[in-house]
Amino acid sequence: ETGVTQSPTHLIKTRGQQVTLRCSSQSGHNTVSWYQQALGQGPQFIFQYYREEENGRGNFPPRFSGLQFPNYSSELNVNALELDDSALYLCASSFHTNTGELFFGEGSRLTVL
Amino acid sequence: AQSVAQPEDQVNVAEGNPLTVKCTYSVSGNPYLFWYVQYPNRGLQFLLKYITGDNLVKGSYGFEAEFNKSQTSFHLKKPSALVSDSALYFCAVRPISSGSARQLTFGSGTQLTVLP
């Protein structure tokens, strides 16, 4: 286990609703990244937070937003849910070094009906 | 923009035989390269990384990977496969020049099945 915890593990929403996913990073890690993994695909980078600020973003619309808190935990918020948002959402923490690997949580599986 | 190709969706190998999972990449400049493994309904687990230096990188669970700059490849290998190695394997790349961003670009994954 990596020490990265995510909640909830599973959730079901309907189109148009909003969702908040939470992540506690591994002890000592100060950088958090979020990835979306659609069924049968590799993870896609959503964004990264360091020192409570977003410092990298992938090709996702503004309705995907996030927060990082002083204890380095993080939230991913998705507004106006669409059916294509159904996916496994992975949180990863790391040290803020150039060569550091990412440590992933187990993910939150979101189903949008 | 960087990209990763894993040309085989599925690799089957008999237990005890050597295994290879292929990965090629495209990136501007020099890359950092990673392999991750994913078991059903689980997150990704780090296996190994190439940063610089020796082209043969050794990682967890007896896996190793060979970096080939001229072929832009980073194939994952293991001398003797175990049934417990059956899982989904992802190759990922990040350009050294990416600065503070830790964005990884992943391939589409290769399902490895080791047959008893």
Side-chain angles (χ1 to χ4, degrees):
Chain A
E1 290 197 5
T2 62
V4 178
T5 58
Q6 293 186 240
S7 63
T9 55
H10 295 82
L11 70 167
I12 300 173
K13 294 284 187 178
T14 56
R15 200 169 43 182
Q17 286 188 313
Q18 177 266 344
V19 68
T20 298
L21 308 178
R22 296 178 174 82
C23 173
S24 294
S25 54
Q26 182 166 314
S27 178
H29 287 180
N30 56 14
T31 301
V32 175
S33 306
W34 286 91
Y35 287 77
Q36 180 196 65
Q37 185 180 16
L39 198 62
Q41 298 182 22
Q44 288 196 303
F45 176 73
I46 303 175
F47 44 55
Q48 174 184 293
Y49 278 81
Y50 171 61
R51 291 185 174 176
E52 303 177 49
E53 291 191 0
E54 182 182 299
N55 75 333
R57 189 177 184 93
N59 189 26
F60 281 82
R63 59 188 185 85
F64 286 78
S65 63
L67 287 172
Q68 185 183 32
F69 300 99
N71 66 354
Y72 306 130
S73 65
S74 177
E75 286 183 356
L76 164 65
N77 299 288
V78 186
N79 294 322
L81 284 167
E82 300 177 359
L83 297 180
D84 285 349
D85 296 333
S86 296
L88 181 67
Y89 288 85
L90 296 166
C91 169
S93 73
S94 62
F95 294 108
H96 198 69
T97 61
N98 211 22
T99 61
E101 63 266 28
L102 302 181
F103 294 84
F104 285 84
E106 302 279 293
S108 294
R109 184 164 297 282
L110 171 65
T111 301
V112 182
L113 302 177
Chain B
Q2 57 266 24
S3 65
V4 174
Q6 293 183 241
E8 300 158 316
D9 292 336
Q10 175 84 36
V11 170
N12 295 327
V13 63
E15 188 175 29
N17 283 0
L19 69 87
T20 298
V21 182
K22 297 179 180 176
C23 169
T24 58
Y25 66 90
S26 173
V27 69
S28 297
N30 293 317
Y32 294 140
L33 292 157
F34 303 82
W35 276 100
Y36 283 83
V37 60
Q38 187 175 36
Y39 296 97
N41 299 312
R42 305 291 293 275
L44 275 68
Q45 295 179 24
F46 170 76
L47 277 180
L48 51 79
K49 65 182 177 183
Y50 172 80
I51 302 298
T52 187
D54 194 349
N55 289 343
L56 185 63
V57 178
K58 294 189 182 298
S60 307
Y61 313 118
F63 284 93
E64 57 191 25
E66 186 168 11
F67 172 63
N68 187 316
K69 187 172 184 178
S70 63
Q71 297 185 2
T72 61
S73 67
F74 189 55
H75 301 331
L76 181 70
K77 300 181 180 184
K78 188 174 182 182
S80 178
L82 301 173
V83 173
S84 58
D85 293 330
S86 298
L88 187 57
Y89 290 81
F90 290 98
C91 180
V93 68
R94 178 164 73 82
I96 291 177
S97 59
S98 62
S100 63
R102 297 292 177 271
Q103 173 181 352
L104 290 182
T105 298
F106 285 86
S108 55
T110 298
Q111 179 65 47
L112 173 68
T113 300
V114 181
L115 305 168

